Amino acid sequence: MFFRVRHQKMVHVYLVVLVILGMLVVLGAMIAYHALLREQNFQIEAAVAKLVNGNSKYQHFDSSASQNRQNSVMILEEQKPLVIYNRVPKTGSTSFVNVAYDLHSHNAFRVLHVNVTGNSHLLSIYDQYRFVDNTTRWTRPAFYHGHFAYIDFEKYGYKRPYYVQLLRKPLDRLVSYYYFLRYGDDYRPHLVRKKHMDSSTTFDECVERGGSDCQANLLWLQIPFLCGQSADCWYIIMPNMIPGSEWALQQAKRNVLEKYTLVGITEQMGEYLQMLELVIPGGMFRNASEHFKHSSKSHLRKTAKKYPVSRKTIQKFHESTVWQMENELYAFVTREFAFAYAKQFPNVSSGLAGTKKKNVKISDLSPPNFRYEKIYPKPSQQKKKKSTAHVQ
C-alpha cells in the first residue's frame, strides 16, 4: 500500500516535470522564432536601405551621364558657330565674302547677306534686337555679312557671336571708293555708277577744289564701324554731324580686343584667312587660305581705274584730325594682328618688317606650347571609385 502511494506520487512528479519541460521547450521555440523574425526583419531593412542607397548612387551616375550628354550637346552646338562680318566698304570685303560663298557647300555652313535699307550703317534699337534674335535662333553654322556698325549681342541678353573684321589704310580706302563711284570695278564692269559723268576729275583735283566727296571727314568710317551703334561713335557734335571722337577711337580699340574674335588688314588677307581657320570652330574656314591663294575670285572688285595720289594731297590728309585717328586705329590693328600671327607662326615673318615670307600651311602647325599636369582625381582613382560604387 505504502509503495503504491509512493509510486503514484512519483508519477505525478514526473508528469509535472514533463509538463514543465514541455512548456520550457515551447517557450524556447517561441523565443527562437521571435529572434529569427527579428533577424529577418533586420535583414530586410538593411536590404531596403542598401537598395535605396544604391539607387541614389545610380541616380547620381545617371545624372552625371545626363550631364555628360548635355555637355556633349553643348560642345556640338559650339561647333556650329554664328559668325558676323560687319564689313567696311572698300576693304577687300567682296573678295573675303566670296571665299565664304565658295566654301559654304564643302564646309557645310550658310552664308547670308544683311541688306540694310538705304545703305544706312545704323539700325534702330528694335531692329538691333530683331537682328540679334533672328541670327541667334536661326540655323547654324552661319556666316552673316553686311555694311552695318557693330551690334552688341550681350546688351540684349544674348551670347556674343564670332565677330570678324578687315581694315584698310584709311586714305587708300577713300581714294578707292572715290574712283569706284566713277569707274566701277571688274565685278560688275557694265554698271554705270552715280559719279560716272564726273570721271574726268582726279582725286587730287577734287581735293584742290574742295569737293564734297574727297573731304577728310569722309575717312571717318572704320572707327565707327568697330565702335558701334552709339551716336558718339559717329559724330562728336550733334546735330552738325561733325566726326572725330576720341572716345569712339578708344571704344573701337576696346572692341577689337574684347568683342571681335579676329580683326585683320586687307593687305594681309591670306594670313588673315589662315588665322580664321584656327580660331573659328567647326571647320567653317577649312582650306580658306589655300582657296584664296589659287581661286580666280581672290581679288574681286578691283577698281577699274585709279590715279596715284600726289604727296601734297597725302600731306594735307595727314594733317587732319580724322585721318590721324583713323590711322591710329589701323596701326593698332596692324600691330595686334602681327603680334598674334607671329605667336601662332613663330618661324614665319608676317611681312610687316619687309622680310621674306615663308610659304606656310595650317598642316605645318607645331604642337601646343602648353600641357596639362597634376590632374586630380587621377583616372585610376576615378575608375576604382566608379567600380566600387557599382559593387555596393
Side-chain angles (χ1 to χ4, degrees):
M1 183 73 178
F2 172 77
F3 290 106
R4 183 181 298 173
V5 172
R6 187 177 179 181
H7 178 70
Q8 289 178 346
K9 287 182 178 181
M10 291 296 292
V11 171
H12 289 156
V13 171
Y14 288 146
L15 289 174
V16 170
V17 171
L18 289 173
V19 170
I20 293 173
L21 290 174
M23 293 176 62
L24 290 174
V25 170
V26 171
L27 182 60
M30 292 177 64
I31 293 173
Y33 180 70
H34 181 68
L36 180 62
L37 288 177
R38 288 186 61 186
E39 180 65 24
Q40 290 178 346
N41 187 50
F42 288 148
Q43 291 178 355
I44 292 172
E45 290 178 354
V48 171
K50 183 177 180 180
L51 182 61
V52 171
N53 292 334
N55 280 343
S56 65
K57 290 177 181 177
Y58 294 141
Q59 289 172 1
H60 172 71
F61 289 137
D62 287 343
S63 64
S64 299
S66 176
Q67 184 65 40
N68 289 336
R69 286 193 295 270
Q70 291 176 2
N71 291 341
S72 298
V73 171
M74 189 178 299
I75 291 172
L76 290 175
E77 285 300 317
E78 289 298 325
Q79 296 301 312
K80 298 179 180 180
L82 168 61
V83 179
I84 307 292
Y85 173 38
N86 60 317
R87 49 195 284 195
V88 180
K90 303 310 295 178
T91 57
S93 60
T94 301
S95 295
F96 176 41
V97 164
N98 270 275
V99 172
Y101 277 112
D102 286 349
L103 295 177
H104 83 278
S105 178
H106 186 269
N107 292 347
F109 65 94
R110 305 179 76 189
V111 184
L112 299 91
H113 176 232
V114 183
N115 190 345
V116 182
T117 305
N119 291 324
S120 172
H121 306 315
L122 299 172
L123 299 177
S124 68
I125 291 289
Y126 188 52
D127 275 352
Q128 291 179 50
Y129 167 76
R130 283 194 284 202
F131 172 76
V132 169
D133 186 68
N134 291 160
T135 54
T136 301
R137 294 180 184 276
W138 289 351
T139 303
R140 292 187 292 170
F143 177 90
Y144 290 81
H145 66 96
H147 295 307
F148 54 90
Y150 171 80
I151 298 173
D152 189 356
F153 277 56
E154 293 170 309
K155 174 181 177 180
Y156 299 99
Y158 289 78
K159 184 178 178 181
R160 186 194 317 158
Y162 293 89
Y163 262 102
V164 298
Q165 187 60 276
L166 281 169
L167 298 187
R168 187 178 181 182
K169 292 179 180 178
L171 185 55
D172 288 356
R173 191 199 64 78
L174 181 59
V175 172
S176 179
Y177 186 67
Y178 177 88
Y179 286 111
F180 166 74
L181 293 179
R182 286 157 175 78
Y183 297 107
D185 54 29
D186 55 2
Y187 189 62
R188 288 186 287 182
H190 303 295
L191 181 63
V192 177
R193 303 292 172 176
K194 64 180 181 179
K195 294 285 186 177
H196 180 73
M197 300 302 295
D198 187 34
S199 59
S200 61
T201 304
T202 67
F203 188 81
D204 286 334
E205 292 170 345
C206 177
V207 172
E208 188 71 27
R209 298 172 186 173
S212 60
D213 54 347
C214 54
Q215 298 286 328
N217 285 350
L218 296 177
L219 293 171
W220 191 255
L221 193 64
Q222 298 186 131
I223 287 176
F225 257 67
L226 272 71
C227 177
Q229 300 279 332
S230 168
D232 285 352
C233 289
W234 291 83
Y235 309 109
I236 190 172
I237 300 177
M238 297 286 286
N240 296 330
M241 307 301 184
I242 299 176
S245 165
E246 179 65 28
W247 176 86
L249 170 60
Q250 299 307 321
Q251 183 62 37
K253 287 182 178 180
R254 283 192 292 270
N255 286 347
V256 168
L257 296 177
E258 300 172 4
K259 305 295 186 180
Y260 279 83
T261 303
L262 188 66
V263 182
I265 57 175
T266 305
E267 295 80 2
Q268 290 188 294
M269 193 179 296
E271 290 87 341
Y272 182 70
L273 289 169
Q274 285 180 331
M275 295 290 283
L276 284 182
E277 290 185 51
L278 301 175
V279 299
I280 302 298
M284 177 179 285
F285 286 94
R286 187 186 304 113
N287 298 325
S289 57
E290 286 298 308
H291 178 80
F292 175 76
K293 188 185 302 181
H294 301 293
S295 173
S296 60
K297 300 179 181 179
S298 297
H299 304 284
L300 292 174
R301 286 220 155 165
K302 183 178 181 181
T303 303
K305 182 187 289 188
K306 282 191 296 187
Y307 295 96
V309 180
S310 68
R311 291 185 178 181
K312 181 181 178 180
T313 298
I314 294 173
Q315 182 61 34
K316 184 173 183 177
F317 272 87
H318 286 187
E319 292 172 356
S320 71
T321 302
V322 171
W323 179 87
Q324 291 169 8
M325 288 185 175
E326 281 278 342
N327 192 64
E328 183 177 339
L329 176 65
Y330 174 81
F332 174 78
V333 167
T334 301
R335 290 193 303 271
E336 287 295 321
F337 181 73
F339 180 78
Y341 191 84
K343 292 295 290 183
Q344 187 60 62
F345 302 103
N347 299 321
V348 181
S349 167
S350 64
L352 295 178
T355 55
K356 186 177 180 180
K357 292 189 292 183
K358 176 185 174 183
N359 185 23
V360 64
K361 296 182 179 180
I362 300 300
S363 57
D364 297 332
L365 281 175
S366 58
N369 289 327
F370 65 93
R371 63 179 182 272
Y372 303 101
E373 59 185 18
K374 298 181 181 179
I375 303 171
Y376 287 86
K378 293 187 178 298
S380 57
Q381 294 176 344
Q382 202 168 21
K383 184 177 180 181
K384 182 179 179 181
K385 183 178 179 182
K386 186 174 181 180
S387 60
T388 304
H390 280 292
V391 170
Q392 289 179 348

